[in-house]
Amino acid sequence: WKPTASKRQFDAAEKAQRLANEAYEDGMRHLVARTCSVGVDRSFNRYYLAQKEPSMVFVEQLRTPSGVADYLPYDIQMNRSSWHVVADRKKFDELFASLDSRGKRELDLKTRFGQSTQVVNRLRDDAKEQSAKEERKKRRSELEDRRQELFLACKREAEMSRRSRRNQSTTESQLKDVESKIIKLDEEIARSEAPVVFDYEDLTGLELLREFDLSMGRNTKQSRGRRTRKNDADDRPSVHIDLVSCSTLWPSSGSKKTGIVGLMVADLLRVETFCQSLCPETEETRLEWRGQLEDLCLKWNQGNFPFVGPAEEAEGTSESQDYSPGKRRRSDGDGETTSQAISSQSVIASMRKPLLDLESRVYSAMGSAMADKDSQVADDNMSTAEEDKENQMDDAAAELKRDMPWKRLLHELSHTPAKRHSQVRKLCEGAMRAARIARRPEAVARLRAALLLHHPNAAGECKTAAVGVLSEFGGYNPADDDFDEEGEVEADDEEEEDEDFPSMLSSEAMMITGSLDGSEMANRVDWKDAVRGTKTLSRFGSLLHSFCRNAKVHLDMMKSEKDELQKCMEQWKKEEDKKKRSRNGQPKGRGRKSGTPVSPEVWADVEYLDEFCVVKLDDLWWPARKCVAKETQLEEQLRGLGRRFVSVVGERGSLRAIRDVDMKDFSVGVNEEEAVQKQTKELRDQLDDCMTMTRRILRGSEQGA
């Protein structure tokens, strides 16, 4: 055998390869942000080698479940974990030796550790560090002896200064050189013996996450601006979804609105500020409400602030390895301990009333509270007089007509064989959708329960349960149904693409979206019951966040309607000025023709009066309740334009600024029969319902008086 390279060439190539590997790993360390597990041991503890911190090995140790969800099967309970690091060579060697190569998991882990030469080389070696410390101390002792010798030599030469000045200067320079070496060596010894201070926020990636969120926030604003301009160019509405920065989920000390409690408080304060700009409350009440939430956020951050780092540093002692959140915390630097931790149940109990109060405030500002009150008064004052008997019969007929679609589908289901499982499911879903439109929540719940029994190979139970719902609600009589099958088929073909499939969510999940006006799946009462009954912080947060999103949508609509009112008032003022100039013989002046409607839907912060009238809208006279703006200046301006606010009975939220000439005292016979007959049947029925409701409200007011 004859070598093809010399010893020097081989050493140079080996050194170049090592340098190339280190350069590659250094480059990856600056590029890779996500770290994956390199393997697991026999106990399924995971090991990580972080490219950002190659001088230690991270260990995720699995722990048993906390026992909070013992009622669930053990295999679906959430496991806990704790994090540890191996930062010195001695512990790493012990870990490496404990791995059993006979097991596949530990064999793979051992192989990966053997391949990661950079991590192994960068681990802190306690033996080397200790020997280096001893070497520095020995060197210092030698220098100290040398310094003593030179000091004595200088002293002797000072006494014999007459003989040799030259020898004395040489000895003094050597003494200064030795003293400077001793000073440098003392500094090295002090640095080596000083405790290592770790920046755990940097090690855990929190600082990196904050920088990422900051850069993403700038990019999101730029992309949102480009998307808005594009939507404006395409004449499309812009949909904006508020994104929560991941770094804000980690709580910070002080009164900052971070962490789950801080984010919930921040959402409530934003909604309250928006609501305050539209319908102001007294400053004393507002400050008390906001102060309660801000104090809660401060107490939570002080008492439940998570400490990043070993438990010994958090507690100041190494007696306990378990860091309990209920123990006393260190302060941020004042040397005083902070308050005790508060539980999630205390947080929910403290935030429940402010949340419900704010929801009621927004609900009242929308005008829905007064609409509910009118509906309740009308229901409580149904008359058995002759003039209302016909209306009651009409109501019963309308209710029967609303129930016909879903009863018809269930009747068809009763004649469908159970083996046609797809048709059974289709009819059940259609009946559920029709029952929801007919406002039959009991029937919807029963049909949903029946649909859960559906199985492709066994649809009989689903069919039996669904047909039983039909029997409970009075059955189906084909003679009462004026269903046009051909017209229905054509309508189904036209709306097939827009078919709305019924939701299969649980009732608990549906309640989340029930705040304010609610939805088809849940109403406001369901949402309030869920808020009062929730016991977990996560569910309470979902209910709160859903309310904040709904409130923002309604408050944005109210703000746009308020801006529309200002535009209309400016246009009405211009029209009044033109009329005055024309009466005085002055030229009208040129201007664009106004496209402002006579009585648009607007919004203002008003007080509802117990006075009713009829107002003219689209050639028909509709019953309405008179309103007065709480802002005196706005009311005076509107009266100066010959208008006033009214709320049409049956409408929810929107107001009308009606001219005085289009307003009369409430009377049953205002509308002419010919004008009413020209309208559609749906509009005529709606007008009759509004008139009936108004009469019942007036009857209730007379009885109360």
Side-chain angles (χ1 to χ4, degrees):
W1 178 78
K2 202 171 185 179
T4 58
S6 63
K7 175 68 172 169
R8 181 179 299 177
Q9 291 175 340
F10 181 80
D11 293 341
E14 189 177 25
K15 181 179 179 181
Q17 183 181 13
R18 186 175 67 255
L19 293 176
N21 290 336
E22 292 179 357
Y24 170 77
E25 293 181 356
D26 287 338
M28 291 297 294
R29 184 165 60 89
H30 289 88
L31 291 177
V32 177
R34 177 173 293 180
T35 301
C36 298
S37 171
V38 297
V40 295
D41 60 10
R42 69 196 75 174
S43 302
F44 294 96
N45 301 319
R46 295 186 178 275
Y47 295 82
Y48 297 84
L49 298 177
Q51 297 289 344
K52 289 288 183 181
E53 186 55 47
S55 62
M56 58 182 65
V57 179
F58 295 89
V59 185
E60 183 185 8
Q61 183 180 5
L62 294 181
R63 300 169 62 187
T64 57
S66 61
V68 176
D70 285 340
Y71 58 91
L72 295 175
Y74 185 82
D75 55 346
I76 66 173
Q77 293 186 30
M78 183 177 295
N79 291 324
R80 299 182 298 165
S81 62
S82 59
W83 287 86
H84 309 270
V85 293
V86 178
D88 57 77
R89 185 63 178 269
K90 181 180 179 181
K91 291 183 179 179
F92 178 79
D93 292 340
E94 294 176 358
L95 171 65
F96 191 81
S98 67
L99 298 177
D100 193 347
S101 302
R102 294 175 296 179
K104 187 177 186 310
R105 290 192 298 269
E106 295 193 356
L107 175 61
D108 295 341
L109 181 60
K110 202 169 186 178
T111 304
R112 289 295 302 274
F113 280 154
Q115 295 173 352
S116 304
T117 57
Q118 185 185 19
V119 175
V120 176
N121 293 334
R122 294 197 181 189
L123 287 173
R124 188 176 72 252
D125 195 340
D126 291 343
K128 289 183 178 180
E129 289 184 1
Q130 188 65 27
S131 62
K133 289 180 183 179
E134 296 295 335
E135 182 67 26
R136 282 191 290 268
K137 290 180 180 180
K138 182 179 179 182
R139 176 63 178 163
R140 191 193 183 287
S141 178
E142 294 176 354
L143 289 174
E144 184 65 27
D145 294 341
R146 177 63 177 164
R147 187 178 71 84
Q148 291 292 338
E149 293 177 1
L150 292 173
F151 179 75
L152 294 175
C154 288
K155 189 175 180 181
R156 288 194 302 268
E157 291 175 358
E159 294 176 354
M160 297 182 297
S161 57
R162 296 177 181 178
R163 296 184 179 181
S164 177
R165 284 278 184 183
R166 183 178 179 182
N167 293 337
Q168 182 180 3
S169 61
T170 303
T171 307
E172 289 178 354
S173 63
Q174 292 178 357
L175 179 61
K176 291 180 180 178
D177 185 29
V178 171
E179 288 178 348
S180 64
K181 290 182 179 179
I182 291 177
I183 292 174
K184 291 182 180 179
L185 201 56
D186 287 340
E187 292 177 355
E188 292 180 5
I189 294 175
R191 283 197 299 268
S192 64
E193 293 180 352
V196 180
V197 179
F198 294 103
D199 186 358
Y200 292 104
E201 292 198 352
D202 184 42
L203 294 177
T204 54
L206 282 176
E207 195 63 34
L208 181 66
L209 188 59
R210 292 191 184 103
E211 295 176 1
F212 174 77
D213 287 339
L214 186 62
S215 62
M216 286 299 296
R218 290 193 293 264
N219 296 336
T220 303
K221 290 180 180 178
Q222 295 174 1
S223 61
R224 189 186 305 161
R226 291 193 297 268
R227 187 166 58 249
T228 303
R229 290 192 294 271
K230 182 179 179 181
N231 291 336
D232 292 341
D234 298 341
D235 196 17
R236 292 184 301 175
S238 177
V239 179
H240 169 58
I241 299 177
D242 294 329
L243 300 179
V244 177
S245 299
C246 296
S247 58
T248 59
L249 296 175
W250 181 264
S252 57
S253 59
S255 58
K256 294 181 180 179
K257 306 301 185 296
T258 54
I260 183 171
V261 175
L263 292 177
M264 289 192 296
V265 171
D267 284 345
L268 286 180
L269 293 181
R270 277 195 294 268
V271 173
E272 193 276 337
T273 302
F274 197 174
C275 186
Q276 179 71 12
S277 64
L278 295 175
C279 44
E281 284 283 333
T282 59
E283 196 65 23
E284 182 180 356
T285 304
R286 185 187 180 214
L287 290 177
E288 181 182 357
W289 185 88
R290 295 177 67 93
Q292 181 180 355
L293 292 176
E294 291 176 350
D295 290 345
L296 175 64
C297 182
L298 180 61
K299 291 179 181 178
W300 174 268
N301 289 341
Q302 288 180 344
N304 300 68
F305 179 66
F307 189 90
V308 183
E312 293 84 355
E313 295 187 16
E315 295 295 333
T317 178
S318 58
E319 294 180 0
S320 174
Q321 295 293 331
D322 295 328
Y323 183 47
S324 174
K327 298 179 180 178
R328 296 177 67 84
R329 301 290 197 274
R330 297 188 309 174
S331 66
D332 296 334
D334 297 331
E336 298 177 358
T337 55
T338 58
S339 59
Q340 295 289 335
I342 57 176
S343 64
S344 58
Q345 297 295 330
S346 301
V347 173
I348 295 174
S350 301
M351 295 186 67
R352 183 178 288 121
K353 186 177 184 303
L355 174 59
L356 294 175
D357 290 344
L358 183 58
E359 195 269 348
S360 300
R361 181 179 170 187
V362 176
Y363 193 68
S364 299
M366 292 164 49
S368 300
M370 179 54 66
D372 288 346
K373 181 180 178 181
D374 288 344
S375 178
Q376 183 66 32
V377 172
D379 292 341
D380 293 341
N381 290 276
M382 287 186 178
S383 175
T384 57
E386 293 296 332
E387 63 268 15
D388 280 353
K389 285 185 178 180
E390 184 177 352
N391 294 330
Q392 293 177 5
M393 294 176 62
D394 293 341
D395 293 342
E399 182 179 353
L400 180 62
K401 185 177 180 180
R402 287 196 303 268
D403 288 341
M404 277 301 160
W406 67 272
K407 288 186 175 182
R408 183 190 314 120
L409 292 173
L410 292 181
H411 177 71
E412 182 180 351
L413 175 63
S414 64
H415 295 83
T416 302
K419 63 182 180 180
R420 298 180 60 184
H421 53 84
S422 59
Q423 184 68 10
V424 170
R425 181 179 182 86
K426 182 178 179 181
L427 291 173
C428 282
E429 291 176 348
M432 188 191 306
R433 183 167 55 251
R436 185 179 291 117
I437 296 174
R439 298 179 181 178
R440 288 288 193 177
E442 301 87 355
V444 172
R446 296 295 304 278
L447 290 173
R448 184 185 296 111
L451 195 58
L452 292 174
L453 301 175
H454 183 272
H455 191 273
N457 297 325
E461 293 184 9
C462 173
K463 174 185 174 182
T464 303
V467 174
V469 177
L470 179 62
S471 302
E472 292 180 9
F473 285 84
Y476 173 77
N477 186 5
D480 298 333
D481 192 4
D482 55 353
F483 173 63
D484 185 4
E485 186 174 353
E486 295 181 359
E488 184 69 17
V489 171
E490 295 178 359
D492 289 343
D493 293 339
E494 293 176 358
E495 300 179 2
E496 184 175 359
E497 297 181 356
D498 299 332
E499 185 176 5
D500 184 19
F501 294 96
S503 174
M504 294 298 294
L505 293 174
S506 63
S507 58
E508 289 79 7
M510 292 181 180
M511 290 179 184
I512 295 176
T513 60
S515 59
L516 300 177
D517 277 346
S519 61
E520 294 182 354
M521 298 181 291
N523 56 25
R524 181 171 178 249
V525 176
D526 297 331
W527 181 85
K528 294 175 73 174
D529 291 341
V531 171
R532 294 189 182 100
T534 185
K535 296 181 180 179
T536 60
L537 203 58
S538 57
R539 178 166 173 76
F540 186 82
S542 62
L543 292 167
L544 183 145
H545 185 66
S546 174
F547 157 71
C548 291
R549 289 184 63 86
N550 292 344
K552 188 177 184 301
V553 172
H554 288 287
L555 291 174
D556 284 336
M557 187 181 303
M558 291 158 56
K559 186 177 184 301
S560 63
E561 291 181 353
K562 186 176 181 179
D563 296 339
E564 182 68 21
L565 173 62
Q566 296 295 331
K567 294 178 182 179
C568 291
M569 291 181 65
E570 293 176 2
Q571 185 63 37
W572 293 333
K573 190 175 186 306
K574 292 179 181 179
E575 293 175 358
E576 290 294 327
D577 294 341
K578 288 180 182 179
K579 291 180 182 179
K580 291 180 181 178
R581 286 197 298 268
S582 64
R583 286 196 297 266
N584 296 333
Q586 298 178 3
K588 297 180 181 180
R590 295 184 179 181
R592 287 188 310 177
K593 234 180 180 182
S594 172
T596 305
V598 178
S599 54
E601 294 185 2
V602 296
W603 182 89
D605 190 15
V606 299
E607 180 181 354
Y608 295 89
L609 304 179
D610 292 333
E611 301 178 15
F612 289 87
C613 61
V614 287
V615 295
K616 191 173 184 180
L617 298 173
D618 299 331
D619 299 330
L620 288 178
W621 292 88
W622 293 82
R625 179 191 289 270
K626 295 181 180 181
C627 306
V628 176
K630 295 182 180 179
E631 188 179 347
T632 308
Q633 183 179 1
L634 176 61
E635 182 66 21
E636 292 176 354
Q637 291 177 355
L638 196 64
R639 291 294 183 90
L641 296 173
R643 294 174 179 268
R644 71 173 301 165
F645 287 120
V646 297
S647 174
V648 178
V649 176
E651 282 190 347
R652 300 181 68 88
S654 297
L655 303 174
R656 309 275 183 158
I658 302 295
R659 297 182 301 178
D660 294 337
V661 295
D662 293 334
M663 187 184 306
K664 296 181 180 180
D665 293 335
F666 179 76
S667 175
V668 178
V670 173
N671 288 304
E672 297 180 358
E673 187 67 24
E674 183 178 354
V676 174
Q677 293 300 326
K678 291 181 180 179
Q679 308 299 327
T680 61
K681 185 178 184 301
E682 181 180 359
L683 193 61
R684 293 198 304 269
D685 293 341
Q686 186 177 355
L687 179 60
D688 292 340
D689 292 341
C690 292
M691 287 292 187
T692 303
M693 180 182 292
T694 307
R695 288 195 297 270
R696 292 174 179 174
I697 294 173
L698 290 174
R699 185 181 301 116
S701 301
E702 293 173 358
Q703 292 177 357

